Amino acid sequence: MKEFKGISASSGVAIGKAFLYVDDVFSQIPRYTITRDEVELEWARFLEAVLAAETEVLELLERANREMGEEQAKIFESHLMMLRDEDLKDQIQTKLHKSSQNIEWVLWDISRELTQKLSNSSDAYLQERVVDIFDVSRRILHKLLFIKKVSLADLQEEVILVTHNLLPSDALVMNKRLVKGIAMDMGGPTSHTAILARAFEIPAVLGLSRATTEIKNGDLVIVDGNAGHIICNPNKEVLERYQRMAVQLKKMAEDLKSLRDLPAETTDGCRVTLKANIEIPEEAPLALQHGAEGIGLYRSEFLFLTPGQSADEERQYRAYKQVLEGMGSLPVTIRTLDVGGDKIIPDLQATEEKNPLLGWRAIRFCLAHKEFFKTQLKALLRSSVHGNLKIMFPMISGIEELEAALAVLEESKAELAASGKAFSEKLDVGAMIEIPSAAMTADILAKKAAFFSIGTNDLVQYSLAVDRGNERIAYLAQPFHPAVLRFIKRTIDAAHEEGIPAAMCGELAGNPHATALLLGLGLDEFSMSAASIPLVKKIIRSVSLKDCQALASAALACSSYVEVENLVTQWMRQRIAS
Ligand code: PEP
Ligand code: MG
């Protein structure tokens, strides 16, 4: 049994036989010298291959437009642009003349130069373009070498796809019914493959580095998209555990069908709201399918990582509008840019910091870049006419920051009004409570905010001084720590005192183990990844608020997280049938 840690790109669990998809056209590029007379012939061959490749990409583009969303279609639009790039063609023709080498080798050499340059860049966006260059040059090489590509559309049985780097065109054409999971050496959470895997709801773990070298065709593989790891040839015990988990998840999905339209209400009539967290607009329909009553957190920073274009006002506006329209009249909370810390966008944040997690992040960065901030606020305001928008500011540490952010919002409104652009005047604006100082002054912040949303990922990080990305101290990141529970309680109480709702959008909100405790603490709204909604709803519908309040009181009296955990485990065992 071997276990590989990667990056969770698409949630869920899949078990199946490995299918190694390794396209090795790049290792078989022929190289030979051509005569002066043959140069024109080679060039004509190249142009013909490019035309054939264009036809294929146009077909894929049509298919993407038909079956997928705008973002996916853009991937193929960018491929088409590359195929039609006259400068690139000139560069290839010049090299062909100068080198007197065959066209396959010339094309390969130029692609390699380009991709090396991009790979060395510190810009994540440029690095991810490497995949597109490979995809386009591979397509032309297949035409030149008359290679009939093994297509993932032709799979015959259910598989776990193990690959070095799944190109976007492969992901689009693959037989999604038969690809049960994806394990990939390369890629991060914002790569094309991650975006597509989430859109197809295929569990995926990326960034595994050695999957294709360590796993053989036919090996039994478990893809745990929730934990972000894969297990190859598991022992009996692990396999059975995951089989049970997969059955449970499947059964839960079935339950969802009957639960979907039922309210998230306790047995004694306390109604709470369950919403979804999303990173890309295409996730909105998925949220609805899982019964989300709105979007509680749209992490807008992912727009700035989407390949292809810069996130100018128009593009932001279109993305926000897409989410709002997709959710109909349901509320959509869009968080303004939370860049920095562990989410560096090199284009925006060139400065290196000694302590980025305590540095120039989120609202601090936006307030220091007012025009940039206003661009986002104007895009948000303009989109507000298309649905039920709420705006949320991240990383608020005190009243000054909240007031400053609200002032920039007012300025943006005034500028929009002056230019005759429409927006909703009445718009809820809330604050994330994810810094201890904000939780401690929640009573003050509540006077200026229309709602709170507790970000437990950062609240745990900052209150317990535990870097959320550091594996070595991960055991200290305990959301049940009495300090964290007290911050949560303080925040919820302050919100209620002022008559505003208290939401939570950190990971704790989707943790079924914490549901009863959070209900008991008085949380009004839980926002989580869409797939977590059914189980949380099921728990809410099987407990009473009265019992949950007693649990919360007992938990607040505990002196350690271990005590709280034991208390909650025992409580759950007694009340929730497994
Ligand atoms: C949080 O900190 O809990 C949160 C929801 O924000 P993010 O994970 O994006 O920092
Ligand atoms: Mg946060």
Side-chain angles (χ1 to χ4, degrees), residues 507-562:
E507 290 305 303
L508 191 65
N511 178 350
H513 206 57
T515 307
L517 180 52
L518 294 173
L519 274 172
L521 288 170
L523 194 69
D524 304 297
E525 200 178 292
F526 299 60
S527 192
M528 61 200 84
S529 68
S532 306
I533 293 177
L535 182 56
V536 169
K537 192 190 268 188
K538 195 172 171 186
I539 292 171
I540 292 171
R541 291 181 58 82
S542 50
V543 296
S544 75
L545 178 65
K546 196 163 153 278
D547 277 0
C548 293
Q549 283 169 337
L551 170 70
S553 298
L556 284 167
C558 290
S559 42
S560 71
Y561 75 81
V562 178

Coordinates of all heavy atoms in Angstrom, one line a residue, residues 507-562:
E507 N -14.4 26.4 7.3 CA -14.6 24.9 7.1 C -15.5 24.3 8.2 O -16.2 23.3 8.0 CB -13.3 24.2 7.0 CG -12.5 24.5 5.8 CD -13.3 24.2 4.5 OE1 -13.8 23.0 4.4 OE2 -13.5 25.1 3.7
L508 N -15.4 24.9 9.4 CA -16.2 24.4 10.5 C -17.7 24.3 10.3 O -18.4 23.4 10.7 CB -15.9 25.2 11.8 CG -16.4 24.6 13.1 CD1 -15.6 23.3 13.5 CD2 -16.2 25.6 14.3
A509 N -18.2 25.2 9.4 CA -19.6 25.3 9.1 C -20.1 24.0 8.4 O -21.2 23.6 8.5 CB -19.9 26.5 8.3
G510 N -19.2 23.4 7.7 CA -19.5 22.2 6.9 C -19.1 20.9 7.6 O -19.2 19.8 7.1
N511 N -18.6 21.0 8.8 CA -18.1 19.8 9.6 C -19.3 19.3 10.4 O -19.8 19.9 11.3 CB -17.0 20.3 10.5 CG -16.5 19.1 11.4 OD1 -17.1 18.1 11.4 ND2 -15.4 19.4 12.0
P512 N -19.8 18.1 10.0 CA -21.0 17.5 10.6 C -20.9 17.3 12.1 O -21.8 17.3 12.9 CB -21.3 16.2 9.9 CG -20.0 15.9 9.1 CD -19.3 17.2 8.9
H513 N -19.6 17.1 12.5 CA -19.3 16.9 13.9 C -19.6 18.2 14.7 O -19.9 18.1 15.9 CB -17.8 16.6 14.0 CG -17.5 15.8 15.2 ND1 -18.0 14.6 15.5 CD2 -16.6 16.0 16.2 CE1 -17.5 14.1 16.6 NE2 -16.7 15.0 17.1
A514 N -19.6 19.4 14.1 CA -19.8 20.6 14.8 C -21.2 21.2 14.7 O -21.5 22.2 15.3 CB -18.8 21.7 14.2
T515 N -22.0 20.6 13.8 CA -23.3 21.2 13.5 C -24.2 21.5 14.7 O -24.6 22.6 14.9 CB -24.1 20.2 12.6 OG1 -23.3 19.9 11.4 CG2 -25.4 20.9 12.1
A516 N -24.3 20.4 15.6 CA -25.2 20.6 16.8 C -24.6 21.7 17.7 O -25.4 22.5 18.2 CB -25.3 19.3 17.5
L517 N -23.3 21.7 17.9 CA -22.7 22.7 18.8 C -22.9 24.1 18.2 O -23.3 25.0 19.0 CB -21.2 22.4 18.8 CG -20.3 23.2 19.7 CD1 -20.9 23.4 21.1 CD2 -18.9 22.7 19.8
L518 N -22.8 24.3 16.9 CA -23.0 25.6 16.3 C -24.4 26.0 16.4 O -24.7 27.2 16.6 CB -22.5 25.6 14.8 CG -21.0 25.4 14.7 CD1 -20.6 25.2 13.2 CD2 -20.2 26.5 15.3
L519 N -25.3 25.1 16.2 CA -26.8 25.4 16.4 C -27.0 25.9 17.8 O -27.7 26.9 18.0 CB -27.6 24.1 16.2 CG -28.0 23.8 14.7 CD1 -28.7 22.4 14.7 CD2 -29.0 24.8 14.2
G520 N -26.4 25.2 18.7 CA -26.6 25.5 20.1 C -26.0 26.9 20.5 O -26.5 27.6 21.4
L521 N -25.0 27.3 19.8 CA -24.3 28.6 20.0 C -25.2 29.7 19.4 O -24.9 30.9 19.6 CB -22.9 28.6 19.5 CG -21.9 27.8 20.3 CD1 -20.5 27.7 19.5 CD2 -21.6 28.4 21.7
G522 N -26.1 29.3 18.5 CA -27.0 30.3 18.0 C -26.7 30.7 16.5 O -27.3 31.7 16.1
L523 N -25.9 30.0 15.9 CA -25.5 30.3 14.5 C -26.8 30.3 13.6 O -27.6 29.4 13.7 CB -24.5 29.3 13.9 CG -23.8 29.8 12.6 CD1 -22.9 30.9 12.9 CD2 -23.0 28.6 12.1
D524 N -26.9 31.4 12.8 CA -28.1 31.5 11.9 C -27.9 30.9 10.5 O -28.8 30.4 9.9 CB -28.5 33.0 11.7 CG -28.7 33.7 13.0 OD1 -29.6 33.3 13.7 OD2 -27.9 34.6 13.3
E525 N -26.7 30.9 10.1 CA -26.4 30.6 8.7 C -25.1 29.8 8.6 O -24.1 30.2 9.1 CB -26.3 31.9 7.9 CG -26.5 31.8 6.5 CD -26.4 33.1 5.8 OE1 -27.3 34.0 6.1 OE2 -25.5 33.3 5.1
F526 N -25.2 28.7 7.8 CA -24.0 27.8 7.7 C -23.6 27.8 6.2 O -24.5 27.5 5.4 CB -24.3 26.4 8.1 CG -24.7 26.1 9.5 CD1 -25.8 26.7 10.0 CD2 -23.9 25.3 10.3 CE1 -26.2 26.5 11.3 CE2 -24.3 25.0 11.6 CZ -25.5 25.6 12.1
S527 N -22.4 28.2 5.8 CA -22.0 28.2 4.4 C -20.8 27.3 4.2 O -19.8 27.4 4.9 CB -21.7 29.6 3.9 OG -21.6 29.6 2.5
M528 N -20.9 26.4 3.3 CA -19.9 25.3 3.1 C -19.8 24.8 1.7 O -20.6 25.3 0.9 CB -20.4 24.1 4.0 CG -21.7 23.5 3.5 SD -22.6 22.6 4.8 CE -23.4 23.8 5.7
S529 N -18.9 23.9 1.4 CA -18.8 23.4 0.0 C -20.1 22.7 -0.2 O -20.7 22.0 0.7 CB -17.6 22.5 -0.1 OG -17.8 21.3 0.6
A530 N -20.7 22.8 -1.4 CA -22.0 22.3 -1.7 C -22.2 20.9 -1.3 O -23.3 20.5 -0.8 CB -22.3 22.5 -3.2
A531 N -21.2 20.1 -1.6 CA -21.4 18.6 -1.3 C -21.6 18.3 0.2 O -22.0 17.2 0.5 CB -20.2 17.9 -1.8
S532 N -21.2 19.2 1.1 CA -21.4 19.0 2.5 C -22.8 19.3 3.0 O -23.1 18.9 4.1 CB -20.4 19.9 3.3 OG -19.1 19.7 2.9
I533 N -23.6 20.0 2.2 CA -24.9 20.5 2.7 C -25.8 19.3 3.1 O -26.4 19.4 4.2 CB -25.6 21.4 1.6 CG1 -24.8 22.7 1.5 CG2 -27.0 21.6 1.9 CD1 -25.3 23.6 0.4
P534 N -25.9 18.2 2.3 CA -26.9 17.2 2.7 C -26.7 16.6 4.1 O -27.7 16.5 4.9 CB -26.7 16.1 1.7 CG -25.8 16.6 0.6 CD -25.2 17.9 1.1
L535 N -25.5 16.3 4.5 CA -25.3 15.7 5.8 C -25.6 16.7 6.9 O -26.2 16.3 7.9 CB -23.8 15.1 5.9 CG -23.5 14.4 7.2 CD1 -24.5 13.3 7.4 CD2 -22.1 13.9 7.2
V536 N -25.1 17.9 6.7 CA -25.4 18.9 7.7 C -26.9 19.1 7.9 O -27.4 19.2 9.0 CB -24.6 20.2 7.4 CG1 -25.1 21.4 8.3 CG2 -23.1 20.0 7.5
K537 N -27.6 19.1 6.8 CA -29.0 19.3 6.9 C -29.7 18.1 7.6 O -30.6 18.3 8.4 CB -29.6 19.5 5.5 CG -31.1 19.9 5.5 CD -31.7 19.8 4.1 CE -31.6 21.1 3.3 NZ -32.4 21.1 2.1
K538 N -29.2 17.0 7.3 CA -29.8 15.8 7.9 C -29.6 15.9 9.4 O -30.5 15.5 10.2 CB -29.0 14.5 7.4 CG -29.7 13.3 7.6 CD -29.1 12.1 6.9 CE -29.7 10.8 7.4 NZ -29.0 9.7 6.9
I539 N -28.4 16.3 9.9 CA -28.2 16.4 11.3 C -29.1 17.4 11.9 O -29.8 17.2 13.0 CB -26.7 16.7 11.6 CG1 -25.9 15.5 11.2 CG2 -26.5 17.1 13.1 CD1 -24.4 15.7 11.2
I540 N -29.2 18.6 11.3 CA -30.1 19.7 11.8 C -31.5 19.2 12.0 O -32.2 19.4 13.0 CB -30.0 20.9 10.9 CG1 -28.6 21.5 10.9 CG2 -31.1 21.9 11.3 CD1 -28.4 22.6 9.9
R541 N -32.0 18.4 11.0 CA -33.4 17.9 11.0 C -33.6 16.8 12.0 O -34.7 16.5 12.3 CB -33.8 17.5 9.6 CG -33.9 18.6 8.6 CD -34.4 18.1 7.3 NE -35.6 17.5 7.3 CZ -36.8 18.1 7.3 NH1 -36.9 19.4 7.3 NH2 -37.9 17.4 7.4
S542 N -32.5 16.3 12.6 CA -32.7 15.2 13.6 C -32.4 15.6 15.0 O -32.4 14.8 15.9 CB -31.9 14.0 13.2 OG -30.6 14.3 12.9
V543 N -32.1 16.9 15.3 CA -31.8 17.3 16.7 C -32.8 18.4 17.1 O -33.4 19.1 16.2 CB -30.4 17.8 16.8 CG1 -29.4 16.7 16.5 CG2 -30.1 19.0 15.9
S544 N -32.9 18.7 18.4 CA -33.7 19.8 18.8 C -32.8 20.9 19.3 O -31.7 20.7 19.8 CB -34.6 19.4 20.0 OG -33.8 19.3 21.2
L545 N -33.2 22.2 19.1 CA -32.4 23.3 19.5 C -32.2 23.3 21.0 O -31.1 23.6 21.5 CB -33.2 24.6 19.1 CG -32.4 25.9 19.5 CD1 -31.1 26.0 18.8 CD2 -33.3 27.1 19.3
K546 N -33.2 22.8 21.7 CA -33.0 22.8 23.2 C -31.9 21.9 23.6 O -31.0 22.3 24.4 CB -34.4 22.2 23.8 CG -34.5 22.5 25.2 CD -36.0 22.3 25.6 CE -36.1 21.9 27.1 NZ -35.9 20.5 27.3
D547 N -31.8 20.7 23.0 CA -30.6 19.8 23.3 C -29.3 20.4 22.9 O -28.3 20.3 23.5 CB -30.8 18.5 22.5 CG -31.8 17.6 23.3 OD1 -32.2 17.9 24.3 OD2 -32.0 16.5 22.7
C548 N -29.3 21.1 21.7 CA -28.1 21.7 21.2 C -27.6 22.8 22.1 O -26.4 23.0 22.3 CB -28.3 22.2 19.8 SG -28.6 20.9 18.6
Q549 N -28.6 23.5 22.6 CA -28.2 24.6 23.5 C -27.5 24.1 24.8 O -26.6 24.6 25.3 CB -29.4 25.5 23.9 CG -29.8 26.4 22.7 CD -31.1 27.1 22.9 OE1 -32.0 26.6 23.6 NE2 -31.3 28.2 22.2
A550 N -28.1 23.0 25.3 CA -27.5 22.3 26.5 C -26.1 21.8 26.1 O -25.1 22.0 26.9 CB -28.4 21.2 26.9
L551 N -25.9 21.3 24.9 CA -24.6 20.8 24.5 C -23.6 22.0 24.4 O -22.5 21.9 24.9 CB -24.7 20.2 23.1 CG -23.4 19.8 22.4 CD1 -22.6 18.7 23.1 CD2 -23.6 19.5 21.0
A552 N -24.1 23.1 23.9 CA -23.2 24.3 23.7 C -22.8 24.8 25.1 O -21.6 25.1 25.3 CB -23.9 25.4 22.9
S553 N -23.7 24.8 26.1 CA -23.4 25.3 27.4 C -22.3 24.4 28.0 O -21.3 24.9 28.6 CB -24.6 25.3 28.3 OG -25.5 26.2 27.9
A554 N -22.5 23.1 27.9 CA -21.6 22.1 28.4 C -20.2 22.3 27.7 O -19.2 22.2 28.4 CB -22.1 20.7 28.3
A555 N -20.2 22.5 26.4 CA -18.9 22.7 25.7 C -18.2 23.9 26.2 O -17.0 23.9 26.3 CB -19.2 22.7 24.2
L556 N -19.0 25.0 26.4 CA -18.3 26.3 26.8 C -17.7 26.1 28.2 O -16.8 26.9 28.6 CB -19.3 27.4 26.8 CG -19.7 27.9 25.4 CD1 -20.9 28.8 25.4 CD2 -18.5 28.7 24.8
A557 N -18.2 25.2 29.0 CA -17.6 25.0 30.3 C -16.4 24.0 30.3 O -15.7 23.9 31.3 CB -18.7 24.4 31.2
C558 N -16.1 23.4 29.2 CA -14.9 22.5 29.1 C -13.6 23.3 29.1 O -13.6 24.5 28.7 CB -15.0 21.7 27.8 SG -16.3 20.5 27.7
S559 N -12.6 22.7 29.6 CA -11.3 23.4 29.7 C -10.3 23.1 28.6 O -9.3 23.7 28.5 CB -10.7 23.2 31.1 OG -10.8 21.9 31.5
S560 N -10.6 22.1 27.8 CA -9.7 21.8 26.7 C -10.5 21.3 25.4 O -11.6 20.9 25.6 CB -8.7 20.7 27.1 OG -9.4 19.4 27.2
Y561 N -9.8 21.3 24.3 CA -10.5 20.9 23.1 C -10.7 19.4 23.1 O -11.7 18.9 22.5 CB -9.7 21.3 21.8 CG -8.5 20.5 21.5 CD1 -8.5 19.3 20.9 CD2 -7.2 21.1 21.8 CE1 -7.4 18.6 20.5 CE2 -6.1 20.4 21.5 CZ -6.2 19.1 20.8 OH -5.0 18.4 20.6
V562 N -9.9 18.7 23.8 CA -10.1 17.2 23.9 C -11.4 16.9 24.7 O -12.2 16.1 24.2 CB -8.9 16.5 24.7 CG1 -9.1 15.0 24.8 CG2 -7.6 16.8 24.0

